Amino acid sequence: MKCTRCHKNEASIEYKSIINGRSRQENLCLDCARELGLNFGAGGIGPSWGPLAGMFGNLYDQNWGQMWLPGSLSPDQREVCPHCGMTWREFRNGGRLGCADCYEAFADQLKGLYARVQRGAKYDGRRPANSPSSAATVADEIAELRAAQALAVKNEDYEQAAQLRDRIKALSEEGGVKKNEEKR
Amino acid sequence: MKKKDNENRIVSPWYLTAGPEVDVAASSRVRIARNLAGVDFPTRLSTEEKKALGDRIVSKFLAAPGIDPKDWVDVRLIDMDEPGCLSLVEKRLISPELLQNRETARVLIRRDESASLMMGEEDHVRIQAMVPGYDLKRAYDEAESLAKILEAELPVAFTEELGFLTACPTNVGTGLRVSVQLHLPALVMTRELKVLAEALQKGGLAVRGDHGESSAAAGHMFQISNQCTLGVSPQTTLQELGAVVDQLIERERAAREALVRHSRLALEDRVWRSLALLQNARSLSEQEAVRLLSDLRLGYALGWLDKEDLSWELICRLWAEVGPGSVQRREGEILEPQRRDYKRAEIVRDLFAAERGKE
C-alpha cells in the first residue's frame, strides 16, 4: 500500500487519530511520519514536538520514556469502566485513570502499554503493610522460596541460592513488622 | 511556614549537610505513589472530595504511632502566597504539578525539609524523602518507612498482579521513582554528557536538567531516575540506577581530572572570578547566580577553595536561596525581575557577610 500522504513511498505505519471527535486513519511511510513529528524511540513510535503532538495531549510527558505505537491506540470506545464511567478514549486523552477498577476494565489495552513502558506485566515487590491477606500469602511465599533455595543449593547455583536467602530474609522481616503492628 | 510555627524550634534543613560522594552527587530522592482503596482517583473527585481526602490522610498520618506531629508542618497551598509556594517547588518539597491544583493541594513537610507527603497531585498521596549526597538506600528506607506507616493506617489500592495502583499506569506496581541529583560540570564542558544521556535514555533511565529549567542547566545539575515500576523489584531498581550513577560519578571525576590537566589555569581563574562576582555583584539573575555557584561547587570539590574562602554549607545555602520563589519569599512580595535580581545579589552578599561574621 502506498503512503496516503505522499502517495510515493510504501506505507509502513498505520496512524489513527481523533480530531474533534472524528477518527481518521492514515497509512504513512517513515518519511512522512517523521515530517509529521512522530518520532521513533526504542519502544516504538510516538509523538515528538511536531504538529501532531497536541493530539496526544498529556499522554506525552517526559515520564513515559517510550511511546505507544499509534496503531495500538486503536480506540475501542465501547470500553467503559463500570465503576467510574471512564472510557478508554477519555484515558487516552487525559493520561490518567479514574479509579482502581479501571485497571480491570481496561486490562487488555493496558497490557500493550505495559509491554512498551514497563519491564513486564507482573508486580515484583512487597504487599501493603496492612494487607489482611498478606500474613498467609507471605508464609506461602517463604515456603516456596525455601524450596527453590534448596533446589538451587542442590544444583550448586550458589548465587541464586544467596539471592533467594536474601528474599526470604526480607519477607520474614516484613512479616515480623506486620505482626507487631497488628498487636498495637 | 516558619512564621506560623515560630513557637516551634528551628531545625537546620537537610541539604546543608554533606553526604556520600558529595563532590559529584548533590542529593538522592525517593518518591512513592499511593492511592486509598475504595476512593476514586483524583481525576474523578470533586473539589470537596479532594479536600476531605486530604483531611483524612493528614489526620491519620499525624496520629500514627511513630509519627510526632510536632515534626511536621501542615500546609494548604491555598493559604500560602505565590512566592512561598514557588520556594517549596524550588526546594523540591512539592512538585510543579501540585501547584497547578492549588485549591485542593496540601502538603505535610518534615521540619528539616527532608521528607514530604503531597496530597492533591495525580495520586492521592505522594511520599518523598531526600538525603544529601549519593545514598539511595537511605532515601529509600526513609520513604518506605513513611509509606508503611501510612499503609498501616489506611487501606491502599493494591492487587497481587499489579501491585500498588496509581492514576497513571507508568507508575503502577511499586509506585517508585528513585533519583539522584548529580553535578556534572566537567561532563558538560567536555560535551560527553550529551552522548551519555542518549545511551541512558535508551536503557530506560531518564536524565534531565533539574526542574527541567534553563537555570538548572546553567548550574550543571542533572537528575537521573528510573522509569519502570512494574516487573522490576525495588531492590533491582535501586541496584540498576546505582550502577549507572556509579559510572556517571567516575566519568565526571575523570573528566574533571582531564580538565585540570589540560587547562588548570583557565579553570582556576573561572572559579575565583565566580567567587568574586558572587561576593560583589549588585545584580544577579537566577541563571547567572546558579552558573557562578556551579563554579564554586566545582572549585570546592577540587580542593581549590578551602574553609577560609567559604564553607560547603554556604554553597548549599546559597544554592537554595537564589530561586525566584525563595528571593521573593524573603521579601514577602512579588518583585519585578529587575528588582528581584538586585535583591538576589543583596541576599547573596548578606549570606557571605554572615559567614564571615561567624568566624
Side-chain angles (χ1 to χ4, degrees), chain A residues 62-64 83-86 90-91 96-99 103 113 118-120 122-124 126-130 184, chain B residues 40-41 43-44 65 122 144 151 158 160-161 163-164 166-167 169-170 173 208 227-231 233 240:
Chain A
Q62 50 189 356
N63 290 331
W64 287 83
H83 175 78
C84 72
M86 172 148 302
E90 197 181 343
F91 163 67
R96 307 282 179 266
L97 293 166
C99 70
Y103 277 98
L113 170 65
Q118 296 283 14
R119 196 76 68 82
K122 177 85 184 87
Y123 174 56
D124 187 357
R126 68 170 175 86
R127 293 178 175 81
N130 72 336
R184 270 197 331 250
Chain B
D40 287 353
F41 294 152
T43 43
R44 280 291 192 258
E122 64 175 62
E144 267 284 276
E151 288 161 22
F158 175 86
E160 298 288 330
E161 186 66 22
F164 295 96
T166 52
T170 49
R208 66 181 80 105
Q227 300 271 26
C228 298
T229 52
L230 190 62
S233 72
E240 289 180 352

Side-chain angles (χ1 to χ4, degrees), chain A residues 11-27:
Chain A
S12 51
I13 293 162
E14 185 185 307
Y15 181 73
K16 288 181 181 172
S17 59
I18 298 171
I19 301 166
N20 297 331
R22 288 175 63 185
S23 115
R24 200 167 71 137
Q25 181 173 332
E26 282 187 283
N27 298 297

